[in-house]
Amino acid sequence: MSLVLDPAAQDLLFREARTANTFTDEPVTDEQVQAIYDLVKYGPTAFNQSPLRITLVRSAEARERLVKHMAEGNQPKTAAAPLVAILSADNEFHAELPELFPHFPQAKDAFFAERPVRENSALLNAALQAGYFIVGVRAAGLAAGPMTGLDFEGVRKEFLDDDHTPLMVVNIGKPGPDAWFPRSPRLAFEQVVTTV
């Protein structure tokens, strides 16, 4: 059975897409980021909670502050990428639930009154949204370089607050020379899928 999505789009989003390690100096515009968000905001989350928050690092001063919190091998990539996004989970997402989940506005207090519950839910659902974000970057014809090799607490203190948990840093742009490492193996269908 074939997929409904055009094979070229399948390649763009999945088969040919990889984590970029170098980028050209072509800028990534606010309009491109808006278009990416306008697409990926429709990805599902529990209770439509939408806890992902995106901090765009554009200025040279902010970039320098971020690079010092990246693992050594990630520092040059982050320093050179046209745009860098810090993806985080908003642990106070429940404040938006009356608007985002209007058919049951009581969900805010019925399910998410306690901070540890919110933190767990925000982490899971924001990570899900981060996956949508990466696919959205690819849909825009750009390359994404998501990284978790960083000082999470340092990034939180430098750019966020106690209500936000950093998930990853994503370098974004047009791929540069030698942007791709060779494709790593993937597990076979039989290794992943079990029917019960």
Side-chain angles (χ1 to χ4, degrees):
M1 176 180 173
S2 64
L3 300 173
V4 173
L5 189 65
D6 178 86
Q10 295 172 37
D11 288 343
L12 176 71
L13 299 178
F14 297 100
R15 285 191 289 263
E16 299 300 324
R18 291 192 244 154
T19 297
N21 293 287
T22 68
F23 297 90
T24 69
D25 58 3
E26 183 178 330
V28 177
T29 67
D30 288 339
E31 292 77 17
Q32 286 172 300
V33 177
Q34 176 79 51
I36 291 165
Y37 177 73
D38 286 343
L39 176 65
V40 303
K41 69 183 178 184
Y42 294 109
T45 56
F47 293 93
N48 197 35
Q49 64 187 247
S50 306
L52 181 70
R53 300 297 179 261
I54 303 165
T55 303
L56 299 178
V57 181
R58 287 204 180 274
S59 72
E61 179 269 333
R63 184 74 60 102
E64 188 175 314
R65 287 169 39 219
L66 176 60
V67 165
K68 71 181 182 184
H69 295 292
M70 302 303 295
E72 185 176 345
N74 291 333
Q75 289 179 355
K77 296 183 274 192
T78 300
L83 179 64
V84 181
I86 300 169
L87 304 188
S88 64
D90 182 357
N91 297 308
E92 297 298 311
F93 67 86
H94 69 309
E96 310 293 339
L97 282 181
E99 177 185 348
L100 294 175
F101 206 61
H103 54 284
F104 185 42
Q106 303 89 336
K108 173 183 180 287
D109 298 313
F111 295 103
F112 300 108
E114 297 179 13
R115 175 73 179 230
V117 173
R118 289 197 307 274
E119 288 177 352
N120 287 338
S121 191
L123 190 63
L124 174 64
N125 286 279
L128 183 62
Q129 287 185 284
Y132 303 145
F133 180 80
I134 292 165
V135 173
V137 168
R138 294 170 174 178
L142 300 169
M147 298 171 295
T148 56
L150 56 110
D151 172 5
F152 285 91
E153 184 59 17
V155 168
R156 188 193 63 73
K157 287 181 179 177
E158 192 83 45
F159 292 95
L160 306 170
D161 58 32
D162 289 339
D163 291 331
H164 293 80
T165 302
L167 301 171
M168 66 184 68
V169 167
V170 183
N171 296 328
I172 304 168
K174 293 282 188 182
D178 301 316
W180 321 115
F181 294 144
R183 166 93 55 207
S184 295
R186 296 299 192 265
L187 294 174
F189 181 84
E190 303 77 26
Q191 293 173 282
V192 175
V193 177
T194 304
T195 302
V196 293

